[in-house]
Amino acid sequence: MKVELTDIGHGGVAIGHVDGKTVMANFGLPGETVRVRITRDKTTFLRGEVLEVCENPSPYRQPLAWEEAGPGGVGGAGLQHVRFDYQQVWKTTVLRSTLRRIGGEKLTDHLADQGIEPTVRPIPGDDETGGWHTRTRIQLTAQGGRLGMNRVGKGRIIPISRMPLAVAEIEERVGLFDGSFMSRVAGKNRGKNLFHDGAKVKAVAPSGSEPVVVVGNRVLAVNGEENHTPYVYEKMTVNGTEYRYRVNADGFWQMHKSAGKELTHTVVDCAKVESGDHVLELYAGAGLMTLPLADIVGERGSILALEGARSAVDNAKANLRSYPQATARTKNIDERMSENELNADVIIADPPRTGLGIPLAKKIASSSAYRIVLVSCDAASMARDVRALYEGGRRIVSMQALDMFPNTHHFETITVAQ
């Protein structure tokens, strides 16, 4: 159907209205009149993909750099049609509208009273590449002897011939898409087919060790042989100090090649941790931010890093061996945590996409911490959690956002409450 698009919505869609229904269209831009293929028809809304711009093409539209992830294709690059400098404007619009819609008018007014104008900023250097070739980790699925990704909104796997979101080391050196890596693996494994339909394949290009490919539960070197260790190593320099991390090859680490450094710099700056402070870090992973924070608190202070995934905690313990002031512990992080467990000068939380949840956010708000830093990777759960902190008596003193996922609708928000 033909639709005039008038607004931007959460999830990378442009918004229009037809016959009393809201139309949410991928690959559109406000101001355009477009032809949309409807992929989902519900009582109050329609979802679809823009196939053609009929009238008023946006000045912020650019040609698709990855056609395989365009309309009808795989997910992963839903904002690639948006000029890079406008992607941050798009995401800032989503951030502010989500705060108003979910956070509510009182929180929105509070942010304005504090002089806070939430804005999404790019990672330095991404403007030079248009945000491409930044990911050090990509997830694929084997299908029919090839590797592919899920069709947008569907379970079907579509084979792909390239992956421009990935750093060049993955796309050019490993040989995932021309079949050469699979051939090397088959030769080393006496013809055994590790790439059966549905097999999960993760390529990793860490900053401190050689690239690997994880197939099922096996970690393989680029030459197709079994890797000598299940770990990869990352390195990062913060305030002139280089930190080195052990991470499971199939474990979590920030995907963007510069995200770990940029996020840590931002959090350390926002947390204003001082020597002698006692810091509680929730969802600490393998210790990305824990190591620099441990250096700051020094021997007179302490840092307790809690994480639900045991493998990540094992890595954090290894990474923190030379920091007696830091402790890593496996812990289910939820509203059942006691006041004593939340006793700290500074609380830093980096939860998954679902966020803290209102009960835990309110419990953190009622803690004795003089500063709370919340890292959020979903705008909706962030707005809900920040509202809970505010309603719990906290004052929001800072909010900024990083475009750690260029050419997608995702971004990261860092909020500070006192």
Side-chain angles (χ1 to χ4, degrees):
M1 59 175 58
K2 197 173 183 180
V3 183
E4 181 183 357
L5 301 175
T6 57
D7 203 357
I8 290 170
H10 185 41
V13 298
I15 304 293
H17 296 87
V18 172
D19 297 332
K21 284 188 176 184
T22 299
V23 180
M24 297 180 284
N26 292 103
F27 303 107
L29 278 153
E32 298 180 332
T33 298
V34 296
R35 187 165 60 90
V36 178
R37 176 175 55 207
I38 301 303
T39 57
R40 191 176 179 189
D41 189 344
K42 293 293 183 179
T43 304
T44 59
F45 71 90
L46 302 168
R47 289 206 66 134
E49 299 174 318
V50 173
L51 299 180
E52 177 188 7
V53 179
C54 305
E55 301 169 26
N56 304 320
S58 171
Y60 304 113
R61 177 174 288 278
Q62 65 179 5
L64 300 185
W66 186 21
E67 292 281 353
E68 291 173 318
V74 301
L79 287 191
Q80 63 165 315
H81 65 293
V82 181
R83 213 173 66 192
F84 182 76
D85 59 343
Y86 193 71
Q87 288 184 27
Q88 287 82 54
V89 177
W90 178 298
K91 296 181 183 187
T92 296
T93 301
V94 170
L95 173 57
R96 294 180 182 181
S97 63
T98 304
L99 279 167
R100 184 174 295 277
R101 177 171 52 87
I102 296 177
E105 293 296 330
K106 288 184 178 179
L107 175 61
T108 303
D109 292 343
H110 171 70
L111 295 176
D113 291 342
Q114 295 293 112
I116 297 172
E117 297 181 353
T119 303
V120 180
R121 61 179 170 86
I123 297 285
D126 281 358
D127 56 340
E128 300 170 9
T129 64
W132 298 105
H133 305 296
T134 64
R135 293 195 181 183
T136 61
R137 285 153 172 79
I138 61 170
Q139 184 81 45
L140 305 165
T141 302
Q143 185 69 38
R146 295 182 62 190
L147 297 178
M149 296 171 62
N150 286 92
R151 160 80 170 88
V152 175
K154 305 285 184 181
R156 184 165 60 92
I157 301 299
I158 299 178
I160 57 176
S161 61
R162 54 193 292 258
M163 194 354 163
L165 288 171
V167 293
E169 196 168 18
I170 289 177
E171 194 170 32
E172 297 171 4
R173 182 177 171 189
V174 179
L176 290 173
F177 305 111
D178 62 4
S180 58
F181 179 74
M182 286 187 279
S183 296
R184 292 195 295 273
V185 172
K188 301 292 183 181
N189 288 271
R190 299 179 181 178
K192 182 179 179 181
N193 181 24
L194 300 182
F195 299 92
H196 56 82
D197 286 356
K200 300 301 179 184
V201 180
K202 182 178 182 180
V204 183
S207 56
S209 58
E210 288 295 302
V212 297
V213 178
V214 182
V215 185
N217 60 358
R218 300 181 66 176
V219 181
L220 307 174
V222 173
N223 63 6
E225 294 180 350
E226 197 87 23
N227 204 44
H228 67 281
T229 172
Y231 308 116
V232 295
Y233 292 86
E234 298 285 351
K235 59 184 181 180
M236 176 181 73
T237 300
V238 178
N239 296 331
T241 300
E242 183 176 273
Y243 297 95
R244 184 174 171 83
Y245 303 83
R246 189 188 86 181
V247 186
N248 278 58
D250 61 348
F252 175 79
W253 191 259
Q254 296 293 343
M255 288 191 299
H256 191 295
K257 61 184 179 181
S258 301
K261 176 181 177 180
E262 196 68 21
L263 181 61
T264 301
H265 269 292
T266 303
V267 170
V268 167
D269 182 60
C270 288
K272 301 189 186 306
V273 172
E274 298 179 354
S275 177
D277 276 348
H278 301 284
V279 177
L280 173 63
E281 187 182 359
L282 304 178
Y283 311 96
L288 168 66
M289 294 181 281
T290 318
L291 272 67
L293 289 167
D295 265 338
I296 295 172
V297 300
E299 295 179 358
R300 296 189 301 110
S302 68
I303 180 165
L304 174 59
L306 302 181
E307 165 62 46
R310 186 176 296 277
S311 60
V313 174
D314 289 342
N315 287 322
K317 288 178 177 178
N319 296 330
L320 291 165
R321 281 195 186 114
S322 59
Y323 296 92
Q325 67 272 41
T327 302
R329 188 180 302 161
T330 305
K331 171 74 178 177
N332 289 327
I333 303 169
D334 55 32
E335 67 274 13
R336 290 170 291 185
M337 295 183 69
S338 67
E339 290 182 10
N340 187 56
E341 289 176 308
L342 293 172
N343 183 29
D345 297 315
V346 179
I347 296 177
I348 298 170
D350 186 3
R353 194 166 299 282
T354 51
L356 295 173
I358 293 175
L360 179 56
K362 287 191 172 181
K363 182 161 274 191
I364 290 174
S366 65
S367 72
S368 60
Y370 67 79
R371 185 170 288 107
I372 300 163
V373 181
L374 173 62
V375 181
S376 310
C377 57
D378 178 79
S381 61
M382 177 276 299
R384 178 204 63 206
D385 290 347
V386 172
R387 176 175 179 170
L389 291 175
Y390 171 64
E391 291 179 345
R394 293 290 180 161
R395 179 168 58 96
I396 311 304
V397 298
S398 171
M399 181 181 288
Q400 53 186 299
L402 296 173
D403 188 2
M404 290 167 40
F405 311 94
N407 294 305
T408 80
H409 69 271
H410 300 291
F411 55 90
E412 206 95 355
T413 309
I414 301 96
T415 306
V416 183
Q418 290 185 170

